[in-house]
Amino acid sequence: MASLRIAILGGTGELGTGLANRWARAGLSVILGSRDPAKAASAAASLAAETGGQVTGTSLTEATSAADVVVVAVPWASHDETLALVAPFTAGRIIVNAVVPLVPPKVSAVTLPEGGSAAMRAKSLLPEDARLTSAFHNVGAQKLKDGGPVDCDVLVFGDDKAAKDTVVALADQIGARGIDGGPLVNSVAGEAMTSVLIGINRRHKLPGAGIRITGLG
Ligand SMILES: NC(=O)c1ccc[n+]([C@@H]2O[C@H](COP(=O)([O-])OP(=O)(O)OC[C@H]3O[C@@H](n4cnc5c(N)ncnc54)[C@H](OP(=O)(O)O)[C@@H]3O)[C@@H](O)[C@H]2O)c1
């Protein structure tokens, strides 16, 4: 696990920065990927100083090429474009799609995209040998940045068991509990739950409601 290199596409954003912060503190090597390599390098330098960890920044394609695990954390509006750009560099890599198909302004209402979910759309855009998983839809970025306990479960979906096991372990590394949520087609449940949680946050004035699966001990 410690030798894994993790690229985060959209690593300068809310979720990407939060995940990078936690993984860098856990001793993992993180590469921030951005449309603007200079922006990524600057964000990486700040995170490295803050965490004392190993964080670098570069372009989306170079980050993908340099990593073992590639987390996609860009807005839904740029999901297809980003995956199409990096697709030629994904062979053999574990891809973790954290994108939720939110369509502003109605982000607290579940919206299902063409293809059924962001994960199934990603599957149609990536080559067969990319080891696609889907996770982290229900973790509020603010919680990751606060530095306190993350205190929630992370459902991990995918059709490649070994890839899913790695992502479950990566969820544990941010201080959450990773749980295998079944095949990639189930990702729609995790993605849809995000809109439910955004609504709960609004109604209860919470910074980041999360989910817990009971009965697992
Ligand atoms: N925020 C959360 O709490 C949270 C939780 C769970 C899941 N998610 C999901 O994670 C994804 C990222 O959310 P976020 O809140 O982190 O988003 P964000 O901060 O708005 O954006 C993330 C990054 O994506 C890149 N980006 C923005 N607009 C883009 C565009 N039009 N084309 C290409 N890249 C663009 C930017 O990086 P560069 O400018 O450096 O390229 C930006 O820093 C979303 O799909 C969201 O639904 C978010």
Side-chain angles (χ1 to χ4, degrees):
M1 174 68 43
S3 63
L4 278 185
R5 292 158 301 172
I6 308 172
I8 307 178
L9 311 184
T12 60
E14 292 294 315
L15 181 64
T17 302
L19 290 171
N21 186 323
R22 294 287 174 148
W23 283 325
R25 287 182 196 278
L28 299 173
S29 172
V30 180
I31 310 160
L32 306 183
S34 168
R35 294 168 294 175
D36 176 353
K39 179 181 171 187
S42 167
S46 301
L47 268 176
E50 185 186 336
T51 61
Q54 197 184 332
V55 190
T56 57
T58 184
S59 68
L60 297 168
T61 52
E62 282 185 12
T64 302
S65 303
D68 305 297
V69 176
V70 181
V71 178
V72 185
V74 297
W76 172 239
S78 57
H79 175 265
D80 290 10
E81 176 192 342
T82 303
L83 285 183
L85 177 73
V86 303
F89 307 94
T90 55
R93 290 173 173 76
I94 297 174
I95 311 299
V96 189
N97 202 8
V99 174
V100 179
L102 298 176
V103 183
K106 291 191 170 175
V107 291
S108 59
V110 175
T111 311
L112 300 179
E114 196 182 319
S117 65
M120 297 313 284
R121 182 81 150 253
K123 186 176 178 178
S124 73
L125 291 163
L126 293 174
E128 286 281 323
D129 52 4
R131 304 174 67 196
L132 179 61
T133 68
S134 175
F136 300 109
H137 313 102
N138 307 140
V139 183
Q142 193 55 47
K143 271 190 192 172
L144 298 172
K145 284 197 235 165
D146 284 350
V150 178
D151 191 31
C152 68
D153 290 339
V154 169
L155 296 176
V156 182
F157 308 97
D159 300 326
D160 176 328
K161 177 78 171 87
K164 255 191 311 194
D165 288 347
T166 298
V167 181
V168 164
L170 286 173
D172 293 344
Q173 292 287 325
I174 67 166
R177 178 176 64 168
I179 299 175
D180 183 341
L184 195 69
V185 72
N186 286 3
S187 181
V188 64
E191 296 174 31
M193 184 55 68
T194 304
S195 290
V196 177
L197 293 172
I198 290 170
I200 291 170
N201 284 338
R202 284 183 181 163
R203 287 188 289 280
H204 295 268
K205 301 194 182 351
L206 298 173
I211 62 157
R212 269 281 184 225
I213 304 300
T214 61
L216 279 175

